[in-house]
Amino acid sequence: MLRMFALTVAGALMTTAASAEIRIAHVYGKTGPFEAYAAQSHNGLMLGLEYATGGTMEINGEKIVVIEKDTQLKPDIGRAQLEEAYGDDDVHLAIGPVSSGVALAMLPVAEEYERVLIVEPAVADSITGSNWNPYIFRTGRNSSQDAIANAVALGGEGVTIATLAQDYAFGRDGVAAFKEALEATGATIAHEEYVPTDTTDFTAAAERIFTAMGDIEGDKKLFIIWAGGGNPMSKINAMEPSRFGVEIATGGNILAALKAYKELPGMEGATYYYYEIPQNPVNDWLVKTHFERFDSPPDFFTAGGMSSGLAIVEAIKKAGGAEDTDALVKAMEGMSWETPKGTMTFRAEDHQAMQTMYHFRTEVQDGKDYGVPVLVREIGMDEMKIPVRN
């Protein structure tokens, strides 16, 4: 009898201890082609939680526990890992993934379990568009934000643009949004080219683009939307597009990818983040701390991961805890918080984070082995008419 009482007390204490934890799952592609993006995202998430909690990794006395799950960049595995996180691990909310294709497979799981999923950094519009449900929030930018910012940077009367993108949700959503945004600038699209995600030989695609653009007069650009390896920009640049009067253009990317930008000084586009551009206390801390911890600057997806961590702490504080999902959703709808990019706001209608983007011009600088995206001007969230979900 005494032993049974002791076991009951022990069980109660374990339950109490467990309930004092805030359990968060980071479900992301730790292995696979986007491994570099994933590592940045996770480092940023942990730095965001650290910054927002003053280094305690606690919210209102409750310890934050982060559980990592690897999607291996496969939609079916991503879905299963999120089911495991909500069901077996009983996490209060989840963050991820890296790939838009994996994210789309994960969205229904959040709705089924009625738990929050913060999408970071997958960008396909459909995530907070046609495939959205009320438990989905996104701290990362979406394809429309990328596209509209790049349309502002590249478009204009008399400008003709061809596009090259990967043949999946990220690439096709990106081009669709870019085309729509470009109409308002007076520019026109002459040709669209889609290739498999693992393409390494761009000769045929480039030749089709050059043929389509060859006889067109005026300012001509090839806008590339790409994620992961393959490096189409350098390979197409080696084919001398200037022979056809075509300039290469693209958006921002991670530092490793910016090495290809060094070949194209003066190239313009729009970026989500480069560590020297934002001027605010959060980014100052991130840059300083990242150099101290990793002996390198924070990268493209580090800022996004940190923004998600900061949003989590802000939301849980505002909701009075992590246990009540309905309270979390209510707290996050319309919520503004500070990030390395400045203020972000979750739009109430579709939970997309509205945020500043940056028009840049590539510059070659001493001591840097990549093309530096130097700020031309900030493109504020009020300037970008981001479509609301259908």
Side-chain angles (χ1 to χ4, degrees):
M1 188 73 175
L2 188 62
R3 182 173 179 272
M4 185 178 295
F5 175 76
L7 288 172
T8 302
V9 171
L13 289 172
M14 287 176 66
T15 301
T16 302
S19 65
E21 292 179 347
I22 297 170
R23 295 179 300 284
I24 299 168
H26 193 192
V27 186
Y28 66 121
K30 292 179 66 175
T31 56
F34 295 167
E35 186 176 340
Y37 299 176
Q40 291 174 25
S41 182
H42 187 71
N43 289 341
L45 169 64
M46 301 308 292
L47 288 168
L49 295 172
E50 177 184 343
Y51 181 89
T53 61
T56 66
M57 297 299 279
E58 293 183 354
I59 304 173
N60 298 328
E62 295 184 333
K63 181 182 177 183
I64 298 171
V65 176
V66 177
I67 300 168
E68 295 183 59
K69 305 267 185 194
D70 185 7
T71 70
Q72 300 175 40
L73 223 65
K74 297 177 181 178
D76 57 334
I77 293 178
R79 181 185 178 94
Q81 293 282 39
L82 187 59
E83 288 175 340
E84 182 179 88
Y86 289 143
D88 298 343
D89 300 316
D90 196 25
V91 300
H92 297 100
L93 55 87
I95 306 104
V98 178
S99 161
S100 293
V102 177
L104 291 170
M106 288 167 56
L107 303 186
V109 180
E111 186 170 31
E112 178 185 348
Y113 282 85
E114 298 183 343
R115 303 278 177 92
V116 168
L117 170 63
I118 297 177
V119 176
E120 173 65 50
V123 303
D125 272 352
S126 49
I127 292 167
T128 45
S130 57
N131 291 82
W132 178 85
N133 67 68
Y135 300 97
I136 306 304
F137 289 80
R138 174 158 47 189
T139 51
R141 87 282 189 207
N142 66 8
S143 291
S144 285
Q145 287 166 316
D146 268 348
I148 292 172
N150 276 288
V152 169
L154 302 175
E157 292 292 340
V159 177
T160 304
I161 299 178
T163 61
L164 171 68
Q166 288 157 308
D167 193 9
Y168 77 116
F170 166 69
R172 288 192 172 271
D173 280 10
V175 170
F178 181 69
K179 284 174 60 180
E180 184 175 346
L182 209 60
E183 290 178 5
T185 73
T188 57
I189 292 284
H191 183 78
E192 298 172 37
E193 192 73 33
Y194 299 95
V195 297
T197 58
D198 58 354
T199 298
T200 56
D201 184 351
F202 298 92
T203 305
E207 286 177 350
R208 287 191 291 270
I209 291 166
F210 297 154
T211 299
M213 300 282 276
D215 296 330
I216 295 172
E217 299 294 328
D219 192 0
K220 296 181 286 189
K221 301 180 189 296
L222 167 58
F223 181 57
I224 298 172
I225 299 176
W226 200 263
N231 193 5
M233 199 158 60
S234 288
K235 293 178 180 179
I236 293 174
N237 189 48
M239 298 174 67
E240 300 182 13
S242 58
R243 291 180 296 138
F244 305 93
V246 176
E247 296 179 1
I248 292 176
T250 192
N253 213 317
I254 64 173
L255 293 172
L258 295 185
K259 291 180 179 179
Y261 292 32
K262 194 170 184 177
E263 303 171 14
L264 298 159
M267 181 185 71
E268 295 191 26
T271 189
Y272 166 79
Y273 178 82
Y274 174 68
Y275 76 98
E276 293 181 323
I277 291 178
Q279 303 296 315
N280 61 70
V282 181
N283 193 54
D284 291 346
W285 182 90
L286 172 59
V287 173
K288 179 177 181 293
T289 305
H290 203 279
F291 269 109
E292 291 172 352
R293 303 269 178 90
F294 304 102
D295 195 29
S296 65
D299 214 334
F300 203 78
F301 295 105
T302 317
M306 185 175 187
S307 297
S308 68
L310 294 165
I312 288 167
V313 176
E314 181 72 17
I316 292 173
K317 286 180 176 178
K318 190 176 178 183
E323 294 284 345
D324 187 339
T325 298
D326 289 339
L328 270 179
V329 170
K330 185 177 180 181
M332 294 171 76
E333 288 183 335
M335 183 183 85
S336 294
W337 75 104
E338 295 307 311
T339 80
K341 296 180 61 183
T343 304
M344 287 189 187
T345 301
F346 281 129
R347 187 162 59 180
E349 298 92 327
D350 58 4
H351 304 171
Q352 172 61 49
M354 308 305 288
Q355 55 199 279
T356 298
M357 301 287 281
Y358 308 103
H359 177 184
F360 72 86
R361 182 179 295 113
T362 302
E363 189 176 285
V364 176
Q365 296 181 358
D366 291 341
K368 291 178 179 173
D369 64 350
Y370 56 86
V372 178
V374 174
L375 180 67
V376 174
R377 74 178 187 92
E378 291 190 359
I379 304 171
M381 62 179 80
D382 294 338
E383 291 185 64
M384 294 180 286
K385 304 302 180 185
I386 309 300
V388 179
R389 65 184 176 85
N390 297 326

